[in-house]
Amino acid sequence: AKSAGRHRFSVFTPELNRVAQDRLKFEMALRAALQADQLQLHYQPQVRLSDGGIYGVEALARWHHPEFGVVPPDRFVPLAEECGFITELDHGILQKACRQLSEWRAANIVIPHVSVNVSPTTFCDRRLPALIAKTLAACGLLPRDLVLEVTENVVLDNASGGLATLKRVHELGVGLSIDDFGTGYSSLSYLHRLPVDELKLDKSFVRELESDEGARALASAVTGIGTSLRLTIVAEGVENDEQRRILQAQGCQVAQGYFFARPMPAAALTAWMQSRARE
Ligand code: C2E
Ligand code: CA
Ligand code: CA
Ligand code: CA
């Protein structure tokens, strides 16, 4: 038993070292990418179900690394959180997204707003409202041109300061959306007291719409409550026409997903908008 223990020890130590080294390498690369402005944004259209018109676009971060390839945000966002530079990252993305929207406006591409994902840490940071005001002014945008997507846990946790930011951002006139709705604490009782404009129905429910009665009932309940509170319901992860049809029948107003378009670079979205205008 003793020798087995020693054996295990000698196997795991270099392995752990390698994991730690990989992580450090990854962290240093992300810091460098941030500094060198190598994070890019892809944009995914959000489509009105009533007439197929564009409701807005969501900005989604991408990191193209020469060695690692395209690193998805699900990997580098948590890392940036852990290493303490998520606020810097989110601020950079917010500014980039606003600049892009003002470029589209200048080119007469009609996109009603851009939605930006904001991490809990960034959202609870006192500097956020001032940064938003400054960025909008610098880009010649109005508050209603911007929507912030936050997860419900942020606004439910009273101690975090998220509620205070929520109110200040709402006073500015910026739109607020609850992301991944239904996957967090799932308490509906707080909704009517929050200055929120939009609910994003999580893609885990949308995925099962055709196959699962429970998912259908849940989606329908979210849409019903949201609509009666005058919130816009945006379904995410819509991949086929059957899902679109069910959502529309349930009263959902807006949908986003591969069925309509994948997230794409700004130039591709411009082309997508122009080709639709010609149809
Ligand atoms: P999210 O905000 O819930 O974004 C939706 C995710 O679903 C995106 O993944 C999007 O590309 C993907 N998606 C869109 N349509 C479909 C579809 O039809 N089917 C499926 N299966 N997926 C679809 P992505 O871009 O990998 O982003 C993952 C998460 O990373 C986001 O989830 C968001 O929480 C976070 N994230 C992305 N960009 C940022 C950012 O700039 N800042 C912060 N803080 N978080 C970000
Ligand atoms: Ca989102
Ligand atoms: Ca989501
Ligand atoms: Ca998410």
Side-chain angles (χ1 to χ4, degrees):
K2 211 175 180 182
S3 77
R6 244 210 338 263
H7 181 66
R8 218 181 298 137
F9 191 71
S10 65
V11 168
F12 278 99
T13 302
E15 181 58 22
L16 272 178
N17 261 331
R18 209 177 52 77
V19 171
Q21 272 169 21
D22 280 356
R23 208 197 104 118
L24 192 65
K25 192 177 164 199
F26 195 50
E27 179 187 336
M28 278 164 39
L30 181 56
R31 279 189 198 275
L34 209 61
Q35 231 103 66
D37 197 30
Q38 280 168 358
L39 292 185
Q40 285 159 25
L41 283 177
H42 281 194
Y43 298 89
Q44 187 176 37
Q46 303 173 319
V47 174
R48 282 193 307 261
L49 291 175
S50 57
D51 60 0
I54 188 144
Y55 166 76
V57 294
E58 179 178 7
L60 293 153
R62 296 289 179 268
W63 176 21
H64 296 266
H65 188 275
E67 189 186 329
F68 307 142
V70 179
V71 186
D74 284 334
R75 286 204 61 205
F76 68 78
V77 165
L79 182 75
E81 288 263 8
E82 277 172 49
C83 301
F85 51 89
I86 186 63
T87 299
E88 204 183 324
L89 189 152
D90 280 343
H91 285 180
I93 281 165
L94 180 78
Q95 288 170 317
K96 219 185 261 287
C98 287
R99 253 183 264 130
Q100 183 57 56
L101 185 63
S102 75
E103 277 181 36
W104 276 320
R105 295 278 166 88
N108 286 321
I109 309 276
V110 180
I111 294 174
H113 73 260
V114 65
S115 291
V116 175
N117 293 283
V118 177
S119 292
T121 315
T122 307
F123 196 75
C124 299
D125 190 302
R126 292 169 166 275
R127 292 169 299 175
L128 185 66
L131 181 95
I132 289 172
K134 199 179 104 191
T135 304
L136 290 172
C139 296
L141 296 177
L142 296 171
R144 64 160 182 265
D145 297 329
L146 178 66
V147 171
L148 302 185
E149 297 193 5
V150 291
T151 51
E152 56 190 315
N153 300 352
V154 171
V155 289
L156 280 177
D157 181 2
N158 270 330
S160 68
L163 204 58
T165 311
L166 198 70
K167 284 173 183 152
R168 286 181 62 200
V169 167
H170 175 74
E171 279 162 17
L172 281 178
V174 167
L176 286 157
S177 173
I178 310 261
D179 208 349
D180 304 340
F181 188 76
T183 63
Y185 295 158
S186 295
S187 158
L188 292 175
S189 59
Y190 67 92
L191 255 189
H192 70 282
R193 279 185 258 111
L194 296 178
V196 165
D197 309 281
E198 177 184 296
L199 297 182
K200 293 197 78 172
L201 180 65
D202 192 67
K203 59 176 181 283
S204 58
F205 305 117
V206 173
R207 193 188 308 129
E208 299 190 317
L209 274 180
E210 318 101 290
S211 59
D212 187 82
E213 204 181 323
R216 260 195 314 278
L218 211 133
S220 171
V222 168
T223 297
I225 287 172
T227 305
S228 63
L229 292 174
R230 294 178 211 285
L231 306 178
T232 303
I233 313 298
V234 179
E236 63 175 30
V238 178
E239 294 186 354
N240 59 53
D241 195 46
E242 181 64 4
Q243 291 166 347
R244 182 204 60 77
R245 197 192 56 75
I246 295 169
L247 289 161
Q248 188 171 17
Q250 290 182 342
C252 171
Q253 299 102 317
V254 181
Q256 177 183 350
Y258 300 164
F259 177 66
F260 303 98
R262 298 210 164 224
M264 55 192 134
L269 189 88
T270 305
W272 186 83
M273 290 289 297
Q274 286 166 342
S275 76
R276 278 165 52 103
R278 278 194 299 269
E279 267 171 20

